[in-house]
Amino acid sequence: MQIQKQIKDIQFDNDGVSEAIVMASAAGWYVGKIDKSEGFIQPYNRYSGYFATPEEAQKELELYA
């Protein structure tokens, strides 16, 4: 899992779940959320399909704002 935003700049709710962000996996770039409630960063949910570039995923992220 790769995250386009710095961890320190990500907003988390009281449950440790992040705002929607641009992330990547082996399948490509996507919009999703991460979870840190168990003391480490892990994927939480994926809200979009996969994209070839982070720029394409960023355009999709703007639909969630």
Side-chain angles (χ1 to χ4, degrees):
M1 175 183 70
Q2 184 177 354
I3 302 171
Q4 191 177 31
K5 200 171 186 181
Q6 296 287 328
I7 296 293
K8 65 180 178 68
D9 296 330
I10 298 173
Q11 300 285 323
F12 288 89
D13 66 18
N14 291 337
D15 295 324
V17 177
S18 75
E19 63 185 314
I21 58 174
V22 173
M23 306 184 330
S25 69
W29 291 91
Y30 63 96
V31 176
K33 290 186 177 185
I34 55 176
D35 172 45
K36 66 174 189 173
S37 65
E38 295 182 26
F40 56 91
I41 300 295
Q42 60 185 340
Y44 178 76
N45 207 344
R46 181 173 54 85
Y47 296 109
S48 73
Y50 293 105
F51 299 93
T53 68
E55 292 80 17
E56 291 173 312
Q58 182 65 40
K59 287 179 187 176
E60 182 77 9
L61 175 63
E62 292 169 7
L63 298 175
Y64 292 90

